[in-house]
Amino acid sequence: MSTAIQWVRSLIFNAQMYVAMLVVGILYLPAAIISANGALAGCHAYCRYIRWSASWIIGLKCEIRGEPPTDEVMVAPKHQSFLDVLIIFGAIPRGKFIFKAILKYAPIIGQFGLRIGCIPVDRGKRGQAIKKMVADVKAGRAVPGQLIIYPQGTRIAPGVKAPYKIGTGALYRELNQPVVPVATNVGVFWPKRGILRKPGTAVFEFLPRIEPGLAVDEFMDRLETDIEAASDRLNREAGFYG
């Protein structure tokens, strides 16, 4: 019976999540048109609302550990669900994403994303994508902020191993900025696919930063080791041993 109730709660939560996106998008549209700060305020308001609504509708609370960066750095998180996008973005003052080029056409997400400085990239052409990422990021560095890039490029379920893509290393070398890895266990509660959301506490842990100056191969090895070890630890903490 409890599983059936959780399914109903998950359906309600999923539906209201998209309704809320529309409402926030409309309410903050005038401010977003006026300035990028207005768009950023709307994005942060939506993140706060989803965190709050998840805690009482589906019983999923979010805990942030470590020190979210406030200076100009790259943020490299483990990506397991849509929720990690919102919580990590909401924890930093001025985040911007490198995202799939097709998302710039998505209602609200695309318009607000471009307004706050997100960088669309066609991932179907790997070499060109890396060059475009570097060029676009360099062009936008006059605006202080935290560039968020997912090193594995897509959502990866807990316990599943997948390669870390070299694009993060290319940006690390070219931008000469510190990188803050982020581990999470949110996928234990909010799976990559499906409707059911489980109650519990999803942890998002900002790990010690990796300073610039390492060789790309050395940086990539350390990034993967730090994120995977911490995420595995958080998964075990949540009761996942897969």
Side-chain angles (χ1 to χ4, degrees):
M1 186 62 176
S2 60
T3 301
I5 292 174
Q6 193 65 26
W7 269 97
V8 173
R9 288 177 173 172
S10 298
L11 284 169
I12 294 171
F13 174 77
N14 291 344
Q16 65 86 39
M17 183 172 66
Y18 293 104
V19 173
M21 183 183 295
L22 178 61
V23 171
V24 171
I26 293 173
L27 289 177
Y28 280 86
L29 180 60
I33 292 174
I34 293 172
S35 74
N37 288 336
L40 186 65
C43 293
H44 278 150
Y46 181 70
C47 292
R48 290 193 300 270
Y49 172 78
I50 295 302
R51 183 174 178 177
W52 172 77
S53 62
S55 69
W56 66 271
I57 297 179
I58 56 177
L60 180 56
K61 301 182 185 304
C62 297
E63 177 185 343
I64 296 173
R65 298 179 185 173
E67 185 176 349
T70 58
D71 53 335
E72 193 168 3
V73 299
M74 288 172 57
V75 178
K78 183 74 173 176
H79 190 17
Q80 295 182 339
S81 79
F82 181 54
L83 186 59
D84 60 60
V85 175
L86 302 180
I87 299 302
I88 292 168
F89 179 86
I92 57 181
R94 199 172 191 94
K96 50 188 175 182
F97 292 90
I98 290 177
F99 63 0
K100 300 176 188 176
I102 194 171
L103 288 178
K104 66 183 178 182
Y105 303 111
I108 302 176
I109 292 177
Q111 287 70 49
F112 274 74
L114 292 174
R115 196 74 176 100
I116 66 174
C118 292
I119 302 162
V121 168
D122 182 0
R123 295 190 305 169
K125 300 177 180 178
R126 181 178 173 184
Q128 293 180 20
I130 293 174
K131 290 179 181 178
K132 186 177 189 310
M133 280 193 292
V134 172
D136 287 348
V137 172
K138 280 188 171 181
R141 288 189 66 187
V143 180
Q146 299 79 44
L147 176 66
I148 304 169
I149 179 170
Y150 289 102
Q152 292 173 293
T154 189
R155 293 171 296 170
I156 305 296
V160 175
K161 300 301 179 184
Y164 278 57
K165 299 183 182 298
I166 195 62
T168 306
L171 286 172
Y172 169 79
R173 180 187 62 221
E174 295 294 330
L175 296 180
N176 197 37
Q177 290 182 351
V179 174
V180 179
V182 186
T184 186
N185 62 4
V186 65
V188 175
F189 308 99
W190 184 311
K192 180 178 178 179
R193 295 185 178 87
I195 294 172
L196 182 64
R197 312 288 185 239
K198 300 175 183 178
T201 300
V203 179
F204 305 84
E205 184 172 346
F206 288 83
L207 304 172
R209 59 179 61 197
I210 303 173
E211 297 296 338
L214 298 178
V216 171
D217 289 347
E218 185 181 357
F219 162 75
M220 293 299 298
D221 287 342
R222 179 174 168 186
L223 181 68
E224 181 173 356
T225 297
D226 289 356
I227 292 176
E228 292 302 309
S231 294
D232 287 346
R233 170 173 49 80
L234 295 177
N235 289 340
R236 292 191 297 270
E237 184 178 311
F240 179 84
Y241 296 93

